[in-house]
Amino acid sequence: MKGLFITFEGIDGGGKTTQLALAAKWLREQGYEVVESREPGGTPLAERVRELVLDPSLPLTTTTQMLLYLAARSEHVDKLLRPSVEAGKIVLCDRFSDSTLVYQGLSQGKSLEELALLRNLCSFASAGMAPDLTLVFDGRPEVLVRRRAARGVSDRYELQGLDFQQALRKGFLALAEAEPERLQLIDAEGSQEQVAASVQQAISALLHGEK
């Protein structure tokens, strides 16, 4: 079969990482070959970049963060993502270009119309690679961030507070509204089982040509 590229997006605390692992297990049980990855990350070089950009002790500007993310993405696509899809595998990735558009674009006050340059840079870094399906885990930030805090997780973005998470949510919702064929909202406030069922339904539709 033709390989597929599916990305998991959304604000912090939405359960993307857990749901990606569950989706990978479910797909493997059906006989699919699955690759799990994340951004920034996925290769040794990109994982080093991840350590830099998520370290809250480093005073990185938004532009510096963006350029580091794009460098890591170029490496990630070249070394792992594209070869895996071309080999017929299903690639599940925790974040991709949509996060760049939201975190370094929309949440910083830019409108969808002002994202042209950032979109071009993302396309350049990924050599035109784009997801076949993007699942956006959505929910009220005050609920989702509380879950994340209960696990003792914090990074550069978590420390920016609830207002920033609200801006992120608004950005992801704007992208989903602009590209409803690719971006599908998943209610992240449900139980793990309910969210997993929604994820499986969305991926099944893609696998069976219903999207």
Side-chain angles (χ1 to χ4, degrees):
M1 62 165 273
K2 171 186 175 292
L4 292 173
F5 181 35
I6 302 172
T7 55
F8 289 54
E9 296 280 6
I11 69 171
D12 300 315
K16 295 181 290 65
T17 304
T18 297
Q19 291 298 329
L20 189 151
L22 291 173
K25 180 176 183 293
W26 169 71
L27 285 166
R28 290 186 180 114
E29 289 171 349
Q30 297 181 73
Y32 294 104
E33 192 169 0
V34 181
V35 173
E36 301 172 62
S37 197
R38 66 180 183 177
E39 286 219 341
T43 70
L45 186 152
E47 289 291 339
R48 292 287 295 275
V49 174
R50 182 184 184 88
E51 294 174 10
L52 292 173
V53 294
L54 295 183
D55 185 348
S57 69
L58 296 176
L60 304 180
T61 67
T62 298
T63 299
T64 300
Q65 293 172 44
M66 177 194 68
L67 293 173
L68 286 169
Y69 280 127
L70 295 179
R73 181 166 304 139
S74 177
E75 168 81 1
H76 192 199
V77 167
D78 183 62
K79 299 294 194 305
L80 180 64
L81 300 184
R82 190 182 301 281
S84 297
V85 171
E86 290 178 348
K89 301 173 184 179
I90 297 179
V91 176
L92 306 181
C93 190
D94 188 341
R95 299 200 182 282
F96 196 64
S97 295
D98 292 303
S99 277
T100 304
L101 296 178
V102 172
Y103 279 76
Q104 281 76 50
L106 295 173
S107 71
Q108 304 300 315
K110 295 185 182 299
S111 66
L112 285 172
E113 293 72 22
E114 295 174 311
L115 292 183
L117 175 58
L118 192 49
R119 286 185 185 276
N120 288 338
L121 288 171
C122 285
S123 181
F124 174 74
S126 66
M129 187 174 187
D132 297 291
L133 171 68
T134 296
L135 303 177
V136 179
F137 293 80
D138 179 59
R140 292 166 293 174
E142 60 269 26
V143 174
L144 302 186
V145 170
R146 191 182 309 127
R147 290 181 183 175
R148 186 173 170 90
R151 300 196 305 271
V153 179
S154 64
D155 57 31
R156 175 187 303 279
Y157 302 110
E158 179 71 24
L159 295 175
Q160 293 187 49
L162 193 58
D163 287 346
F164 182 62
Q165 297 298 322
Q166 296 281 9
L168 294 175
R169 184 191 190 194
K170 183 178 178 181
F172 279 114
L173 290 176
L175 290 184
E177 183 178 0
E179 295 184 65
E181 290 301 311
R182 176 174 66 84
L183 288 89
Q184 181 165 333
L185 294 177
I186 301 291
D187 182 1
E189 291 190 28
S191 68
Q192 187 176 100
E193 293 75 19
Q194 289 171 328
V195 177
S198 296
V199 169
Q200 291 174 17
Q201 182 178 19
I203 295 176
S204 290
L206 177 65
L207 289 170
H208 297 106
E210 298 171 13
K211 278 185 81 334

mmCIF file of all heavy atoms in Angstrom, residues 120-170:
data_model
loop_
_atom_site.group_PDB
_atom_site.id
_atom_site.type_symbol
_atom_site.label_atom_id
_atom_site.label_comp_id
_atom_site.label_asym_id
_atom_site.label_seq_id
_atom_site.Cartn_x
_atom_site.Cartn_y
_atom_site.Cartn_z
ATOM 1 N N ASN A 120 5.906 29.214 3.539
ATOM 2 C CA ASN A 120 6.949 28.944 2.542
ATOM 3 C C ASN A 120 8.194 28.353 3.191
ATOM 4 O O ASN A 120 8.827 27.442 2.641
ATOM 5 C CB ASN A 120 7.301 30.215 1.779
ATOM 6 C CG ASN A 120 6.213 30.632 0.809
ATOM 7 O OD1 ASN A 120 5.386 29.803 0.398
ATOM 8 N ND2 ASN A 120 6.183 31.907 0.438
ATOM 9 N N LEU A 121 8.558 28.873 4.351
ATOM 10 C CA LEU A 121 9.725 28.352 5.056
ATOM 11 C C LEU A 121 9.482 26.908 5.515
ATOM 12 O O LEU A 121 10.375 26.058 5.427
ATOM 13 C CB LEU A 121 10.050 29.237 6.266
ATOM 14 C CG LEU A 121 10.638 30.612 5.949
ATOM 15 C CD1 LEU A 121 10.699 31.468 7.216
ATOM 16 C CD2 LEU A 121 12.027 30.473 5.334
ATOM 17 N N CYS A 122 8.266 26.634 5.984
ATOM 18 C CA CYS A 122 7.925 25.269 6.403
ATOM 19 C C CYS A 122 7.996 24.319 5.207
ATOM 20 O O CYS A 122 8.504 23.194 5.320
ATOM 21 C CB CYS A 122 6.526 25.239 7.020
ATOM 22 S SG CYS A 122 6.423 25.936 8.685
ATOM 23 N N SER A 123 7.477 24.771 4.070
ATOM 24 C CA SER A 123 7.507 23.943 2.864
ATOM 25 C C SER A 123 8.936 23.692 2.404
ATOM 26 O O SER A 123 9.285 22.586 1.982
ATOM 27 C CB SER A 123 6.703 24.615 1.749
ATOM 28 O OG SER A 123 6.697 23.824 0.583
ATOM 29 N N PHE A 124 9.771 24.709 2.523
ATOM 30 C CA PHE A 124 11.179 24.575 2.150
ATOM 31 C C PHE A 124 11.876 23.557 3.058
ATOM 32 O O PHE A 124 12.604 22.670 2.594
ATOM 33 C CB PHE A 124 11.872 25.931 2.254
ATOM 34 C CG PHE A 124 13.361 25.875 2.022
ATOM 35 C CD1 PHE A 124 13.885 25.691 0.760
ATOM 36 C CD2 PHE A 124 14.238 26.013 3.093
ATOM 37 C CE1 PHE A 124 15.259 25.640 0.549
ATOM 38 C CE2 PHE A 124 15.611 25.954 2.905
ATOM 39 C CZ PHE A 124 16.121 25.769 1.622
ATOM 40 N N ALA A 125 11.637 23.676 4.363
ATOM 41 C CA ALA A 125 12.294 22.784 5.323
ATOM 42 C C ALA A 125 11.855 21.334 5.142
ATOM 43 O O ALA A 125 12.653 20.411 5.336
ATOM 44 C CB ALA A 125 11.999 23.243 6.747
ATOM 45 N N SER A 126 10.597 21.120 4.762
ATOM 46 C CA SER A 126 10.076 19.760 4.611
ATOM 47 C C SER A 126 10.172 19.266 3.173
ATOM 48 O O SER A 126 9.700 18.157 2.874
ATOM 49 C CB SER A 126 8.616 19.693 5.065
ATOM 50 O OG SER A 126 7.792 20.458 4.213
ATOM 51 N N ALA A 127 10.762 20.078 2.299
ATOM 52 C CA ALA A 127 10.861 19.738 0.865
ATOM 53 C C ALA A 127 9.484 19.393 0.304
ATOM 54 O O ALA A 127 9.325 18.474 -0.500
ATOM 55 C CB ALA A 127 11.844 18.591 0.662
ATOM 56 N N GLY A 128 8.474 20.134 0.759
ATOM 57 C CA GLY A 128 7.120 19.971 0.249
ATOM 58 C C GLY A 128 6.321 18.854 0.884
ATOM 59 O O GLY A 128 5.149 18.657 0.537
ATOM 60 N N MET A 129 6.900 18.120 1.823
ATOM 61 C CA MET A 129 6.163 17.028 2.452
ATOM 62 C C MET A 129 5.062 17.589 3.358
ATOM 63 O O MET A 129 5.299 18.494 4.156
ATOM 64 C CB MET A 129 7.105 16.146 3.267
ATOM 65 C CG MET A 129 6.437 14.897 3.801
ATOM 66 S SD MET A 129 7.620 13.788 4.628
ATOM 67 C CE MET A 129 6.560 12.371 4.931
ATOM 68 N N ALA A 130 3.855 17.044 3.224
ATOM 69 C CA ALA A 130 2.725 17.517 4.023
ATOM 70 C C ALA A 130 1.919 16.320 4.510
ATOM 71 O O ALA A 130 1.899 15.265 3.860
ATOM 72 C CB ALA A 130 1.844 18.447 3.203
ATOM 73 N N PRO A 131 1.223 16.447 5.627
ATOM 74 C CA PRO A 131 0.441 15.326 6.171
ATOM 75 C C PRO A 131 -0.748 14.972 5.288
ATOM 76 O O PRO A 131 -1.350 15.840 4.646
ATOM 77 C CB PRO A 131 -0.032 15.858 7.528
ATOM 78 C CG PRO A 131 0.872 17.006 7.852
ATOM 79 C CD PRO A 131 1.214 17.610 6.537
ATOM 80 N N ASP A 132 -1.088 13.687 5.276
ATOM 81 C CA ASP A 132 -2.327 13.241 4.638
ATOM 82 C C ASP A 132 -3.514 13.525 5.547
ATOM 83 O O ASP A 132 -4.635 13.722 5.078
ATOM 84 C CB ASP A 132 -2.247 11.735 4.352
ATOM 85 C CG ASP A 132 -1.149 11.395 3.366
ATOM 86 O OD1 ASP A 132 -1.280 11.761 2.185
ATOM 87 O OD2 ASP A 132 -0.147 10.785 3.775
ATOM 88 N N LEU A 133 -3.267 13.521 6.840
ATOM 89 C CA LEU A 133 -4.301 13.764 7.845
ATOM 90 C C LEU A 133 -3.642 14.366 9.074
ATOM 91 O O LEU A 133 -2.569 13.927 9.488
ATOM 92 C CB LEU A 133 -5.002 12.455 8.223
ATOM 93 C CG LEU A 133 -5.979 12.497 9.413
ATOM 94 C CD1 LEU A 133 -7.213 13.333 9.063
ATOM 95 C CD2 LEU A 133 -6.400 11.077 9.819
ATOM 96 N N THR A 134 -4.308 15.371 9.642
ATOM 97 C CA THR A 134 -3.826 15.971 10.887
ATOM 98 C C THR A 134 -4.953 15.937 11.910
ATOM 99 O O THR A 134 -6.046 16.434 11.656
ATOM 100 C CB THR A 134 -3.373 17.426 10.668
ATOM 101 O OG1 THR A 134 -2.255 17.441 9.774
ATOM 102 C CG2 THR A 134 -2.970 18.078 11.983
ATOM 103 N N LEU A 135 -4.686 15.318 13.045
ATOM 104 C CA LEU A 135 -5.648 15.245 14.142
ATOM 105 C C LEU A 135 -5.309 16.335 15.147
ATOM 106 O O LEU A 135 -4.195 16.360 15.682
ATOM 107 C CB LEU A 135 -5.608 13.872 14.797
ATOM 108 C CG LEU A 135 -5.867 12.685 13.852
ATOM 109 C CD1 LEU A 135 -5.734 11.366 14.612
ATOM 110 C CD2 LEU A 135 -7.246 12.787 13.208
ATOM 111 N N VAL A 136 -6.246 17.233 15.387
ATOM 112 C CA VAL A 136 -6.031 18.345 16.314
ATOM 113 C C VAL A 136 -6.777 18.051 17.609
ATOM 114 O O VAL A 136 -8.012 18.038 17.640
ATOM 115 C CB VAL A 136 -6.520 19.678 15.711
ATOM 116 C CG1 VAL A 136 -6.297 20.820 16.709
ATOM 117 C CG2 VAL A 136 -5.799 19.976 14.398
ATOM 118 N N PHE A 137 -6.031 17.805 18.670
ATOM 119 C CA PHE A 137 -6.627 17.483 19.967
ATOM 120 C C PHE A 137 -7.020 18.781 20.654
ATOM 121 O O PHE A 137 -6.167 19.561 21.075
ATOM 122 C CB PHE A 137 -5.645 16.658 20.797
ATOM 123 C CG PHE A 137 -5.417 15.288 20.205
ATOM 124 C CD1 PHE A 137 -4.562 15.112 19.137
ATOM 125 C CD2 PHE A 137 -6.102 14.192 20.697
ATOM 126 C CE1 PHE A 137 -4.371 13.870 18.564
ATOM 127 C CE2 PHE A 137 -5.929 12.936 20.134
ATOM 128 C CZ PHE A 137 -5.059 12.770 19.053
ATOM 129 N N ASP A 138 -8.325 18.973 20.771
ATOM 130 C CA ASP A 138 -8.837 20.260 21.238
ATOM 131 C C ASP A 138 -9.578 20.120 22.561
ATOM 132 O O ASP A 138 -10.247 19.114 22.827
ATOM 133 C CB ASP A 138 -9.798 20.839 20.187
ATOM 134 C CG ASP A 138 -10.388 22.160 20.630
ATOM 135 O OD1 ASP A 138 -9.610 23.105 20.885
ATOM 136 O OD2 ASP A 138 -11.629 22.245 20.746
ATOM 137 N N GLY A 139 -9.438 21.147 23.382
ATOM 138 C CA GLY A 139 -10.151 21.193 24.649
ATOM 139 C C GLY A 139 -9.849 22.500 25.355
ATOM 140 O O GLY A 139 -9.000 23.282 24.914
ATOM 141 N N ARG A 140 -10.558 22.747 26.429
ATOM 142 C CA ARG A 140 -10.336 23.965 27.201
ATOM 143 C C ARG A 140 -8.948 23.918 27.849
ATOM 144 O O ARG A 140 -8.636 22.953 28.563
ATOM 145 C CB ARG A 140 -11.414 24.125 28.265
ATOM 146 C CG ARG A 140 -12.809 24.398 27.723
ATOM 147 C CD ARG A 140 -13.858 24.204 28.784
ATOM 148 N NE ARG A 140 -13.950 22.790 29.187
ATOM 149 C CZ ARG A 140 -14.710 22.341 30.178
ATOM 150 N NH1 ARG A 140 -15.441 23.187 30.892
ATOM 151 N NH2 ARG A 140 -14.732 21.055 30.477
ATOM 152 N N PRO A 141 -8.144 24.935 27.623
ATOM 153 C CA PRO A 141 -6.786 24.934 28.185
ATOM 154 C C PRO A 141 -6.748 24.752 29.691
ATOM 155 O O PRO A 141 -5.863 24.067 30.214
ATOM 156 C CB PRO A 141 -6.242 26.305 27.774
ATOM 157 C CG PRO A 141 -6.969 26.628 26.519
ATOM 158 C CD PRO A 141 -8.358 26.091 26.732
ATOM 159 N N GLU A 142 -7.711 25.330 30.410
ATOM 160 C CA GLU A 142 -7.691 25.215 31.874
ATOM 161 C C GLU A 142 -7.869 23.764 32.309
ATOM 162 O O GLU A 142 -7.411 23.372 33.379
ATOM 163 C CB GLU A 142 -8.763 26.103 32.511
ATOM 164 C CG GLU A 142 -10.187 25.811 32.098
ATOM 165 C CD GLU A 142 -10.622 26.618 30.886
ATOM 166 O OE1 GLU A 142 -9.763 27.018 30.086
ATOM 167 O OE2 GLU A 142 -11.845 26.831 30.750
ATOM 168 N N VAL A 143 -8.528 22.955 31.478
ATOM 169 C CA VAL A 143 -8.708 21.534 31.785
ATOM 170 C C VAL A 143 -7.479 20.738 31.373
ATOM 171 O O VAL A 143 -6.947 19.935 32.153
ATOM 172 C CB VAL A 143 -9.960 20.977 31.067
ATOM 173 C CG1 VAL A 143 -10.056 19.462 31.261
ATOM 174 C CG2 VAL A 143 -11.219 21.656 31.580
ATOM 175 N N LEU A 144 -7.003 20.962 30.159
ATOM 176 C CA LEU A 144 -5.898 20.173 29.628
ATOM 177 C C LEU A 144 -4.576 20.474 30.325
ATOM 178 O O LEU A 144 -3.793 19.565 30.596
ATOM 179 C CB LEU A 144 -5.761 20.412 28.118
ATOM 180 C CG LEU A 144 -7.007 20.097 27.284
ATOM 181 C CD1 LEU A 144 -6.698 20.243 25.800
ATOM 182 C CD2 LEU A 144 -7.535 18.703 27.584
ATOM 183 N N VAL A 145 -4.332 21.747 30.628
ATOM 184 C CA VAL A 145 -3.088 22.112 31.297
ATOM 185 C C VAL A 145 -3.049 21.548 32.714
ATOM 186 O O VAL A 145 -1.996 21.157 33.216
ATOM 187 C CB VAL A 145 -2.909 23.644 31.312
ATOM 188 C CG1 VAL A 145 -1.758 24.052 32.224
ATOM 189 C CG2 VAL A 145 -2.646 24.154 29.894
ATOM 190 N N ARG A 146 -4.205 21.469 33.346
ATOM 191 C CA ARG A 146 -4.263 20.888 34.692
ATOM 192 C C ARG A 146 -3.838 19.420 34.661
ATOM 193 O O ARG A 146 -3.138 18.943 35.541
ATOM 194 C CB ARG A 146 -5.685 21.016 35.246
ATOM 195 C CG ARG A 146 -5.796 20.697 36.735
ATOM 196 C CD ARG A 146 -7.231 20.787 37.217
ATOM 197 N NE ARG A 146 -7.839 22.047 36.839
ATOM 198 C CZ ARG A 146 -8.986 22.159 36.183
ATOM 199 N NH1 ARG A 146 -9.646 21.071 35.821
ATOM 200 N NH2 ARG A 146 -9.479 23.342 35.875
ATOM 201 N N ARG A 147 -4.245 18.711 33.624
ATOM 202 C CA ARG A 147 -3.834 17.316 33.478
ATOM 203 C C ARG A 147 -2.319 17.208 33.328
ATOM 204 O O ARG A 147 -1.681 16.359 33.944
ATOM 205 C CB ARG A 147 -4.487 16.709 32.234
ATOM 206 C CG ARG A 147 -5.970 16.488 32.308
ATOM 207 C CD ARG A 147 -6.435 15.858 31.013
ATOM 208 N NE ARG A 147 -7.879 15.670 30.971
ATOM 209 C CZ ARG A 147 -8.521 15.229 29.896
ATOM 210 N NH1 ARG A 147 -7.846 14.925 28.809
ATOM 211 N NH2 ARG A 147 -9.824 15.072 29.921
ATOM 212 N N ARG A 148 -1.784 18.079 32.507
ATOM 213 C CA ARG A 148 -0.337 18.052 32.259
ATOM 214 C C ARG A 148 0.433 18.384 33.530
ATOM 215 O O ARG A 148 1.424 17.747 33.857
ATOM 216 C CB ARG A 148 0.009 19.040 31.149
ATOM 217 C CG ARG A 148 1.466 19.013 30.684
ATOM 218 C CD ARG A 148 1.608 19.910 29.459
ATOM 219 N NE ARG A 148 2.996 20.122 29.081
ATOM 220 C CZ ARG A 148 3.681 19.362 28.239
ATOM 221 N NH1 ARG A 148 3.079 18.303 27.710
ATOM 222 N NH2 ARG A 148 4.927 19.628 27.933
ATOM 223 N N ALA A 149 -0.044 19.383 34.279
ATOM 224 C CA ALA A 149 0.619 19.789 35.513
ATOM 225 C C ALA A 149 0.590 18.658 36.538
ATOM 226 O O ALA A 149 1.536 18.471 37.313
ATOM 227 C CB ALA A 149 -0.051 21.034 36.079
ATOM 228 N N ALA A 150 -0.499 17.872 36.526
ATOM 229 C CA ALA A 150 -0.618 16.760 37.479
ATOM 230 C C ALA A 150 0.452 15.711 37.225
ATOM 231 O O ALA A 150 0.838 14.970 38.130
ATOM 232 C CB ALA A 150 -2.006 16.140 37.367
ATOM 233 N N ARG A 151 0.962 15.669 35.975
ATOM 234 C CA ARG A 151 2.022 14.715 35.649
ATOM 235 C C ARG A 151 3.412 15.296 35.893
ATOM 236 O O ARG A 151 4.418 14.641 35.632
ATOM 237 C CB ARG A 151 1.903 14.280 34.186
ATOM 238 C CG ARG A 151 0.585 13.605 33.855
ATOM 239 C CD ARG A 151 0.658 12.858 32.534
ATOM 240 N NE ARG A 151 1.078 13.694 31.436
ATOM 241 C CZ ARG A 151 0.245 14.395 30.669
ATOM 242 N NH1 ARG A 151 -1.052 14.369 30.918
ATOM 243 N NH2 ARG A 151 0.699 15.128 29.673
ATOM 244 N N GLY A 152 3.462 16.556 36.346
ATOM 245 C CA GLY A 152 4.743 17.176 36.645
ATOM 246 C C GLY A 152 5.539 17.557 35.411
ATOM 247 O O GLY A 152 6.770 17.612 35.449
ATOM 248 N N VAL A 153 4.823 17.832 34.304
ATOM 249 C CA VAL A 153 5.495 18.166 33.051
ATOM 250 C C VAL A 153 5.495 19.672 32.844
ATOM 251 O O VAL A 153 4.480 20.331 32.999
ATOM 252 C CB VAL A 153 4.776 17.497 31.853
ATOM 253 C CG1 VAL A 153 5.473 17.859 30.546
ATOM 254 C CG2 VAL A 153 4.731 15.995 32.045
ATOM 255 N N SER A 154 6.642 20.226 32.501
ATOM 256 C CA SER A 154 6.712 21.656 32.186
ATOM 257 C C SER A 154 7.871 21.913 31.242
ATOM 258 O O SER A 154 8.897 21.246 31.301
ATOM 259 C CB SER A 154 6.876 22.505 33.459
ATOM 260 O OG SER A 154 8.104 22.222 34.081
ATOM 261 N N ASP A 155 7.676 22.863 30.327
ATOM 262 C CA ASP A 155 8.749 23.256 29.425
ATOM 263 C C ASP A 155 8.595 24.742 29.118
ATOM 264 O O ASP A 155 7.815 25.443 29.773
ATOM 265 C CB ASP A 155 8.745 22.407 28.135
ATOM 266 C CG ASP A 155 7.413 22.480 27.384
ATOM 267 O OD1 ASP A 155 6.739 23.534 27.448
ATOM 268 O OD2 ASP A 155 7.046 21.502 26.721
ATOM 269 N N ARG A 156 9.326 25.228 28.138
ATOM 270 C CA ARG A 156 9.308 26.648 27.793
ATOM 271 C C ARG A 156 7.884 27.164 27.572
ATOM 272 O O ARG A 156 7.526 28.256 28.012
ATOM 273 C CB ARG A 156 10.135 26.853 26.520
ATOM 274 C CG ARG A 156 10.116 28.280 25.974
ATOM 275 C CD ARG A 156 10.814 28.352 24.621
ATOM 276 N NE ARG A 156 12.173 27.867 24.708
ATOM 277 C CZ ARG A 156 13.203 28.601 25.157
ATOM 278 N NH1 ARG A 156 12.984 29.836 25.573
ATOM 279 N NH2 ARG A 156 14.412 28.088 25.204
ATOM 280 N N TYR A 157 7.055 26.403 26.890
ATOM 281 C CA TYR A 157 5.724 26.866 26.518
ATOM 282 C C TYR A 157 4.730 26.732 27.670
ATOM 283 O O TYR A 157 3.872 27.590 27.854
ATOM 284 C CB TYR A 157 5.245 26.105 25.280
ATOM 285 C CG TYR A 157 6.197 26.297 24.123
ATOM 286 C CD1 TYR A 157 6.995 25.254 23.677
ATOM 287 C CD2 TYR A 157 6.332 27.539 23.517
ATOM 288 C CE1 TYR A 157 7.895 25.439 22.631
ATOM 289 C CE2 TYR A 157 7.233 27.737 22.480
ATOM 290 C CZ TYR A 157 8.012 26.687 22.046
ATOM 291 O OH TYR A 157 8.920 26.884 21.026
ATOM 292 N N GLU A 158 4.860 25.666 28.426
ATOM 293 C CA GLU A 158 3.987 25.470 29.582
ATOM 294 C C GLU A 158 4.135 26.629 30.572
ATOM 295 O O GLU A 158 3.162 27.092 31.172
ATOM 296 C CB GLU A 158 4.331 24.146 30.268
ATOM 297 C CG GLU A 158 3.500 23.837 31.496
ATOM 298 C CD GLU A 158 2.065 23.493 31.162
ATOM 299 O OE1 GLU A 158 1.807 23.062 30.035
ATOM 300 O OE2 GLU A 158 1.210 23.693 32.032
ATOM 301 N N LEU A 159 5.357 27.108 30.717
ATOM 302 C CA LEU A 159 5.638 28.160 31.687
ATOM 303 C C LEU A 159 5.110 29.529 31.275
ATOM 304 O O LEU A 159 5.138 30.469 32.060
ATOM 305 C CB LEU A 159 7.156 28.245 31.928
ATOM 306 C CG LEU A 159 7.779 27.001 32.599
ATOM 307 C CD1 LEU A 159 9.291 27.133 32.669
ATOM 308 C CD2 LEU A 159 7.200 26.781 33.987
ATOM 309 N N GLN A 160 4.604 29.656 30.034
ATOM 310 C CA GLN A 160 4.090 30.946 29.578
ATOM 311 C C GLN A 160 2.656 31.214 30.018
ATOM 312 O O GLN A 160 2.112 32.291 29.764
ATOM 313 C CB GLN A 160 4.210 31.050 28.052
ATOM 314 C CG GLN A 160 5.658 31.101 27.592
ATOM 315 C CD GLN A 160 5.787 31.371 26.109
ATOM 316 O OE1 GLN A 160 5.165 32.287 25.579
ATOM 317 N NE2 GLN A 160 6.597 30.581 25.435
ATOM 318 N N GLY A 161 2.037 30.247 30.675
ATOM 319 C CA GLY A 161 0.755 30.494 31.309
ATOM 320 C C GLY A 161 -0.467 30.197 30.473
ATOM 321 O O GLY A 161 -0.398 29.862 29.287
ATOM 322 N N LEU A 162 -1.634 30.342 31.123
ATOM 323 C CA LEU A 162 -2.908 29.973 30.521
ATOM 324 C C LEU A 162 -3.280 30.859 29.336
ATOM 325 O O LEU A 162 -3.858 30.375 28.359
ATOM 326 C CB LEU A 162 -4.005 30.022 31.587
ATOM 327 C CG LEU A 162 -5.344 29.364 31.227
ATOM 328 C CD1 LEU A 162 -5.139 27.890 30.877
ATOM 329 C CD2 LEU A 162 -6.309 29.496 32.397
ATOM 330 N N ASP A 163 -2.971 32.141 29.404
ATOM 331 C CA ASP A 163 -3.303 33.038 28.295
ATOM 332 C C ASP A 163 -2.622 32.582 27.009
ATOM 333 O O ASP A 163 -3.213 32.642 25.921
ATOM 334 C CB ASP A 163 -2.891 34.477 28.615
ATOM 335 C CG ASP A 163 -3.809 35.125 29.637
ATOM 336 O OD1 ASP A 163 -4.902 34.572 29.887
ATOM 337 O OD2 ASP A 163 -3.439 36.176 30.188
ATOM 338 N N PHE A 164 -1.387 32.133 27.137
ATOM 339 C CA PHE A 164 -0.662 31.648 25.960
ATOM 340 C C PHE A 164 -1.324 30.386 25.416
ATOM 341 O O PHE A 164 -1.471 30.217 24.204
ATOM 342 C CB PHE A 164 0.800 31.372 26.312
ATOM 343 C CG PHE A 164 1.630 30.906 25.145
ATOM 344 C CD1 PHE A 164 1.816 31.717 24.034
ATOM 345 C CD2 PHE A 164 2.224 29.659 25.155
ATOM 346 C CE1 PHE A 164 2.576 31.289 22.952
ATOM 347 C CE2 PHE A 164 2.982 29.218 24.090
ATOM 348 C CZ PHE A 164 3.157 30.041 22.972
ATOM 349 N N GLN A 165 -1.759 29.496 26.304
ATOM 350 C CA GLN A 165 -2.440 28.286 25.871
ATOM 351 C C GLN A 165 -3.758 28.623 25.165
ATOM 352 O O GLN A 165 -4.135 27.965 24.190
ATOM 353 C CB GLN A 165 -2.704 27.354 27.060
ATOM 354 C CG GLN A 165 -1.449 26.835 27.748
ATOM 355 C CD GLN A 165 -0.574 25.995 26.834
ATOM 356 O OE1 GLN A 165 -1.083 25.231 26.016
ATOM 357 N NE2 GLN A 165 0.739 26.128 26.961
ATOM 358 N N GLN A 166 -4.435 29.659 25.633
ATOM 359 C CA GLN A 166 -5.667 30.104 24.971
ATOM 360 C C GLN A 166 -5.358 30.592 23.558
ATOM 361 O O GLN A 166 -6.109 30.314 22.611
ATOM 362 C CB GLN A 166 -6.328 31.233 25.776
ATOM 363 C CG GLN A 166 -6.805 30.852 27.166
ATOM 364 C CD GLN A 166 -8.128 30.092 27.164
ATOM 365 O OE1 GLN A 166 -8.636 29.695 26.122
ATOM 366 N NE2 GLN A 166 -8.683 29.875 28.350
ATOM 367 N N ALA A 167 -4.257 31.320 23.411
ATOM 368 C CA ALA A 167 -3.865 31.811 22.094
ATOM 369 C C ALA A 167 -3.504 30.656 21.166
ATOM 370 O O ALA A 167 -3.815 30.677 19.968
ATOM 371 C CB ALA A 167 -2.683 32.771 22.229
ATOM 372 N N LEU A 168 -2.855 29.636 21.723
ATOM 373 C CA LEU A 168 -2.519 28.456 20.928
ATOM 374 C C LEU A 168 -3.782 27.753 20.447
ATOM 375 O O LEU A 168 -3.890 27.360 19.274
ATOM 376 C CB LEU A 168 -1.670 27.487 21.746
ATOM 377 C CG LEU A 168 -0.265 27.942 22.147
ATOM 378 C CD1 LEU A 168 0.381 26.899 23.050
ATOM 379 C CD2 LEU A 168 0.602 28.198 20.919
ATOM 380 N N ARG A 169 -4.742 27.586 21.358
ATOM 381 C CA ARG A 169 -5.982 26.913 20.968
ATOM 382 C C ARG A 169 -6.680 27.673 19.847
ATOM 383 O O ARG A 169 -7.148 27.074 18.864
ATOM 384 C CB ARG A 169 -6.922 26.789 22.172
ATOM 385 C CG ARG A 169 -8.183 26.007 21.834
ATOM 386 C CD ARG A 169 -9.245 26.085 22.904
ATOM 387 N NE ARG A 169 -10.322 25.131 22.630
ATOM 388 C CZ ARG A 169 -11.495 25.147 23.232
ATOM 389 N NH1 ARG A 169 -11.747 26.046 24.180
ATOM 390 N NH2 ARG A 169 -12.427 24.258 22.907
ATOM 391 N N LYS A 170 -6.749 28.976 19.981
ATOM 392 C CA LYS A 170 -7.378 29.804 18.954
ATOM 393 C C LYS A 170 -6.681 29.610 17.609
ATOM 394 O O LYS A 170 -7.327 29.532 16.564
ATOM 395 C CB LYS A 170 -7.312 31.277 19.381
ATOM 396 C CG LYS A 170 -7.991 32.232 18.418
ATOM 397 C CD LYS A 170 -7.933 33.663 18.936
ATOM 398 C CE LYS A 170 -8.576 34.630 17.948
ATOM 399 N NZ LYS A 170 -8.505 36.035 18.444
#
